[in-house]
């Protein structure tokens, strides 16, 4: 039985808005999500007291308040209900800070409700006796005694999926995932009362799991790549391994073409599930994001179509080619060693053993990367983007060059974390996971590209800004890139193109083949723009890396997994596809295809193993040079 709520405590980042830290980790910006002000106004009108419980790291409350107080929502919070970890000496990794908060509120814990995006933190709050909500949009429903359900929605055949998404905006529905042709299927969280209303609206409603599951669990897609490889009706997959262990079968809420849809209880890590023969993106975390209901109009209104942008030449000048020719194997070798443990990180500590999010080295690497970008040039504006996952505060790293507040952006990206889960027994907290190819090769490529773009900008200031972003927690389900893309989409960031690099370093046998992935079946519009981007990258490749074969370009041609781009939804570019942005991913020749004439793939035999220590720096430099030239030509404006 729910108790009457008197006080509502909110987390800050990813709940109330997007937080930005400068290169040193100091809180710099706070951008309120547009749906938050009316929610807080409604809670205040109900006579509820509103506070904050936040992990602030080394930031005292005075620093947080200095930034937060500039926002339009600050007037709703009571000063004596601002609970900051740095001030009280407690963090949200145990129930203690929640117990403390209810004592400060001078009310029983059941009269307090905590709102936060991380289920592990919500578990600690409930242990302390508080009620919880996974999203601000659902707070009033919980206060009114509603129970929450995971649900899958589909429109009937005679109703457009765009109409369904529009009708759901402002309702008690928080989307987690979109799939199906033209984004026709939605997985999300709703209330028991809303289920009936949705059915009355002739929306096909499929409840997933038990009532109240969204309070203390997260939905994941666990992909069974062996089952995909062996094909329809082969019965040879990995699902049996999931059902064989304890109460895990009770966590399964659905099985689809994408994989097993699992409600993972708070306190249990997706690290436990790494099916045999898994490829990129073997797990996908489904995270709340109201922008998934939006049409792509806002994205298209703020950024140009790549395929019709004829004012930007695809020809490099002699000076530009000279600058790009300096991106060589030495550029990759110079940058990669510190992040795979063959060279010092430069922070006075021991060599890095792992970049896994459960390793203490992960945060060391984050801060080293921020310093590394800053050392390249004072023209690079360096920031950290924090997010929370499995009770841990993690960071993406970004650096930007070009006009401050530019009308349009080009993103060059890779992921910074690593894993060796295919080397059992494996303890991610202490064991080695060098991840040289996956994805230190991409990290080194991004750093080398940043150097090249800085030099090119000295020839001509680009008209568009170029932003370099290194994502964290990719190996746990694209968590960092989804958090980042959500915050960009929330403010309709004008991103023209995303150029992702994921494993660009393994090539032993001829030919020097490589891949570009542009497929996105849920939106042919997004796929069309992403294919145009990939084709443009292909044309540019001939000028700067003639020793590479023409890239194998993948798109999705049908609903069946066999007809899909094998990297669709499986690397960090996917987080941007899902929100309407143009994106493609470059990689070594990892997958078969895309047609019968393609050479045999040369997958890295040490994928996700402790033996992932080899990178061909010349091959990686060839791919990075193509991405550097592509980013530059998209950003520069008319050639000099």
């Amino acid at each position: 039985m729910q108790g009457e709520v008197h006080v509502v405590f909110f987390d800050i980042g990813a709940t109330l808005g997007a937080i930005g830290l400068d290169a040193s980790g100091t809180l710099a910006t706070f951008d309120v999500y547009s749906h938050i002000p009316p929610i807080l106004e409604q809670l205040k009108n109900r006579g509820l007291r509103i506070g904050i419980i936040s992990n602030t790291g080394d930031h005292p409350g005075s620093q947080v308040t200095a930034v937060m107080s500039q926002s339009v929502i600050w007037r709703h919070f009571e000063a004596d209900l601002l609970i900051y970890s740095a001030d009280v000496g407690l963090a949200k990794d145990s129930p203690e800070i929640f117990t403390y908060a209810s004592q400060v509120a001078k009310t029983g814990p059941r009269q307090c409700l905590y709102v936060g995006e991380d289920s592990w933190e919500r578990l600690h709050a409930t242990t302390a006796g508080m009620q919880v909500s996974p999203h601000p949009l659902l707070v009033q429903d919980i206060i009114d005694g509603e129970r929450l359900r995971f649900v899958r929605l589909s429109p009937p055949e005679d109703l457009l999926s765009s109409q369904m998404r529009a009708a759901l905006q402002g309702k008690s529905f928080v989307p987690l995932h979109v799939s199906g042709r033209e984004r026709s299927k939605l997985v999300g969280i709703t209330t028991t009362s809303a289920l009936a209303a949705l059915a009355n609206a002739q929306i096909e409603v499929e409840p997933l799991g038990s009532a109240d599951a969204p309070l203390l669990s997260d939905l994941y897609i666990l992909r069974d790549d062996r089952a995909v490889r062996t094909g329809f009706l082969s019965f040879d997959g990995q699902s049996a391994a999931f059902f064989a262990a304890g109460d895990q079968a009770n966590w399964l809420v659905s099985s689809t073409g994408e994989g097993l849809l699992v409600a993972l209880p708070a306190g249990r890590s997706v690290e436990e599930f790494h099916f045999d023969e898994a490829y990129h993106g073997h797990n996908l975390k489904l995270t709340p994001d109201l922008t998934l209901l939006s049409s792509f109009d806002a994205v298209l209104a703020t950024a140009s179509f790549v395929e019709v942008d004829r004012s930007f030449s695809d020809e490099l000048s002699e000076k530009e080619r000279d600058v790009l020719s300096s991106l060589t194997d030495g550029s990759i070798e110079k940058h990669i060693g510190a992040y795979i443990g063959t060279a010092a990180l430069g922070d006075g500590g021991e060599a890095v053993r792992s970049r896994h999010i459960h390793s203490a080295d992960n945060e060391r690497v984050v801060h080293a990367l921020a310093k590394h970008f800053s050392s390249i040039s004072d023209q690079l504006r360096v920031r950290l983007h924090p997010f929370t996952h499995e009770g841990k505060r993690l960071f993406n790293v970004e650096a930007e060059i070009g006009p401050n507040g530019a009308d349009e952006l080009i993103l060059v990206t890779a992921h910074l974390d690593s894993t060796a889960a295919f080397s059992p027994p494996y303890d991610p907290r202490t064991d080695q996971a060098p991840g040289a190819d996956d994805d230190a090769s991409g990290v080194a490529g991004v750093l080398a590209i940043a150097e090249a773009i800085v030099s090119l900008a000295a020839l001509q200031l680009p008209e568009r800004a170029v932003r370099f972003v290194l994502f964290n927690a990719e190996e746990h389900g694209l968590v960092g890139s989804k958090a980042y893309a959500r915050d960009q989409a929330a403010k309709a960031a004008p991103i023209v193109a995303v150029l992702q690099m994921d494993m660009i370093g393994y090539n032993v046998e001829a030919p020097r083949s490589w891949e570009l992935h542009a497929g996105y079946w849920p939106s042919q519009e997004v796929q069309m723009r992403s294919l145009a981007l990939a084709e443009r990258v292909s044309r540019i490749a001939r000028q700067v890396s003639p020793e590479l074969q023409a890239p194998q370009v993948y798109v999705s041609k049908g609903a069946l997994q066999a007809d899909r781009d094998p990297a669709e939804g499986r690397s960090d570019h996917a987080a941007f596809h899902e929100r309407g942005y143009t994106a493609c991913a470059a990689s070594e020749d990892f997958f078969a295809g895309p047609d019968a004439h393609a050479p045999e793939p040369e997958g890295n035999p040490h994928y996700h193993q402790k033996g992932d220590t080899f990178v061909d720096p010349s091959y990686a430099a060839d791919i990075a040079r193509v991405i550097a030239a592509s980013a530059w030509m998209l950003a520069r404006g008319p050639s000099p």
Side-chain angles (χ1 to χ4, degrees), residues 99-130:
T99 299
Y100 174 82
S102 63
Q103 292 169 348
V104 169
K106 296 183 174 60
T107 186
R110 291 300 292 171
Q111 281 68 56
C112 297
L113 186 147
Y114 172 70
V115 190
E117 81 285 2
D118 187 76
S119 66
W120 291 38
E121 293 180 354
R122 297 198 301 273
L123 176 60
H124 293 311
T126 58
T127 302
M130 286 189 179

Side-chain angles (χ1 to χ4, degrees), residues 83-314:
I83 313 299
Y84 300 130
S85 62
D87 290 351
V88 302
L90 300 169
K92 291 187 287 184
D93 56 0
S94 81
E96 292 182 57
I97 195 170
F98 299 100
T99 299
Y100 174 82
S102 63
Q103 292 169 348
V104 169
K106 296 183 174 60
T107 186
R110 291 300 292 171
Q111 281 68 56
C112 297
L113 186 147
Y114 172 70
V115 190
E117 81 285 2
D118 187 76
S119 66
W120 291 38
E121 293 180 354
R122 297 198 301 273
L123 176 60
H124 293 311
T126 58
T127 302
M130 286 189 179
Q131 299 181 54
V132 295
S133 173
H135 195 274
L137 189 66
L138 302 169
V139 168
Q140 294 202 71
D141 294 302
I142 292 172
I143 292 172
D144 291 337
E146 290 283 353
R147 304 182 74 180
L148 303 186
R149 298 290 296 260
F150 290 123
V151 65
R152 183 190 287 113
L153 306 179
S154 305
E157 292 182 2
D158 60 346
L159 180 68
L160 296 175
S161 56
S162 58
Q163 293 176 307
M164 180 180 73
R165 292 194 303 274
L168 289 170
Q169 293 196 35
K171 303 295 192 298
S172 296
F173 178 80
V174 177
L176 303 173
H177 182 61
V178 291
S179 63
R181 185 68 163 175
E182 298 307 318
R183 304 160 71 211
S184 58
K185 297 183 184 299
L186 277 168
V187 173
I189 305 171
T190 191
T191 67
T192 48
S193 293
L195 287 174
L198 292 168
N200 287 340
Q202 299 186 43
I203 294 172
E204 296 179 11
V205 179
E206 179 187 358
L208 302 172
S210 60
D212 296 330
L215 298 178
L216 295 177
S217 61
D218 294 305
L219 280 187
Y220 283 85
I221 293 174
L222 308 183
R223 290 179 167 127
D224 186 350
D225 290 315
R226 177 184 288 175
V228 173
R229 180 182 61 78
T230 55
F232 182 57
L233 296 181
S234 72
F235 299 102
D236 184 16
Q238 293 289 293
S239 297
F242 180 82
F243 285 101
D247 59 354
Q248 289 176 188
N250 297 327
W251 306 343
L252 181 70
V253 299
S254 182
S255 177
T256 72
E258 292 186 276
L260 301 181
L261 191 59
V262 172
L264 190 64
R268 297 295 294 268
S269 174
V270 74
E271 182 69 27
E272 301 173 39
F273 306 103
H274 203 285
F275 292 159
D276 290 346
E277 301 180 27
Y279 292 151
H280 290 299
H282 48 91
N283 297 329
L284 184 67
K285 185 178 183 181
L286 310 190
T287 55
D289 183 358
L290 294 185
T291 69
L292 296 177
L293 288 179
S294 304
S295 70
F296 293 151
D297 294 344
V299 170
L300 300 180
T302 57
S304 303
F305 282 102
V306 173
E307 68 270 24
V308 299
D309 186 2
R310 302 303 183 190
S311 63
F312 294 80
S313 170
D314 278 348

Side-chain angles (χ1 to χ4, degrees), residues 568-619:
E568 180 186 320
R570 290 175 172 260
S571 190
D572 289 314
H573 70 300
F576 295 89
H577 276 169
E578 196 172 28
R579 287 151 187 85
Y581 289 112
T582 301
C584 67
S587 76
E588 64 208 31
D589 195 353
F590 191 89
F591 294 103
D595 53 52
H597 304 293
E600 285 295 313
E602 190 180 2
N604 189 329
H606 303 294
Y607 175 66
H608 285 187
Q609 297 176 29
K610 296 175 184 177
D612 181 9
T613 59
F614 170 77
V615 161
D616 177 347
S618 175
Y619 173 74

Side-chain angles (χ1 to χ4, degrees), residues 324-594:
L324 287 165
S325 67
S326 67
L327 200 168
T328 65
D329 54 351
S331 307
I332 301 299
E333 291 174 325
K334 175 177 67 173
H335 292 308
I336 200 170
Y339 302 110
I340 63 174
T342 59
L345 190 61
D347 62 355
E350 296 180 355
V352 167
R353 289 182 56 80
S354 170
R355 302 185 308 280
H356 194 285
I357 64 166
H358 288 169
S359 167
D361 285 344
N362 182 276
E363 188 166 352
R364 292 177 60 209
V365 165
V366 162
H367 293 294
L369 285 166
K371 290 180 180 178
H372 200 151
F373 276 123
S374 296
S375 71
I376 291 173
S377 172
D378 58 9
Q379 296 180 56
L380 286 171
R381 301 181 290 275
V382 183
R383 290 159 56 108
L384 301 180
H385 175 257
F387 62 96
T388 303
H389 169 63
E390 293 190 353
K392 295 178 65 68
R393 193 179 191 220
L394 302 169
F395 304 90
N396 300 317
V397 185
E398 70 168 45
E400 183 178 314
I401 189 170
N404 202 350
D407 289 340
E408 294 180 327
L409 302 168
I410 311 297
L411 267 56
V412 178
T413 66
H415 74 84
L416 67 88
D417 60 317
S418 65
T419 186
F422 278 161
S423 292
Y426 173 61
D427 186 341
R429 297 167 297 178
T430 57
D431 285 356
Q432 183 180 13
D437 186 27
D438 186 14
D439 187 28
S441 62
V443 170
V446 170
L447 292 168
I449 292 168
E451 289 182 328
I453 297 293
V454 165
S455 297
L456 289 164
L459 301 177
Q460 175 189 359
L461 186 67
E463 292 189 2
R464 292 165 168 157
V466 181
R467 183 181 295 170
F468 311 96
V469 192
L470 299 174
F471 301 116
N472 215 337
E474 187 268 355
E475 302 290 4
H476 265 220
L478 312 184
V479 183
S481 58
K482 291 183 78 169
Y484 190 88
R486 173 199 61 213
D487 286 349
Q488 296 301 303
K491 58 184 179 183
I495 299 171
V496 172
V498 179
L499 299 165
Q500 162 78 0
M501 293 180 291
D502 195 347
M503 300 178 65
I504 61 168
Y506 191 83
N507 181 260
V508 178
E509 303 291 339
R512 293 168 78 85
S513 52
W514 62 299
E515 301 174 347
L516 285 171
H517 295 274
Y520 186 58
W521 180 250
S523 171
Q524 289 303 292
E525 174 189 288
V526 171
Q527 178 165 278
M528 174 193 71
R529 288 188 271 113
S530 298
L531 175 59
L533 173 64
E535 290 174 339
R536 190 165 190 180
V537 173
S538 301
R539 294 194 300 271
I540 292 169
R542 305 179 194 125
Q543 296 185 62
V544 294
S545 296
E547 293 187 10
L548 287 177
Q549 284 201 324
Q552 301 166 28
V553 178
Y554 292 77
V555 293
S556 294
K557 300 176 181 178
L560 297 176
Q561 289 298 318
D563 298 324
R564 306 280 275 273
D565 177 345
E568 180 186 320
R570 290 175 172 260
S571 190
D572 289 314
H573 70 300
F576 295 89
H577 276 169
E578 196 172 28
R579 287 151 187 85
Y581 289 112
T582 301
C584 67
S587 76
E588 64 208 31
D589 195 353
F590 191 89
F591 294 103

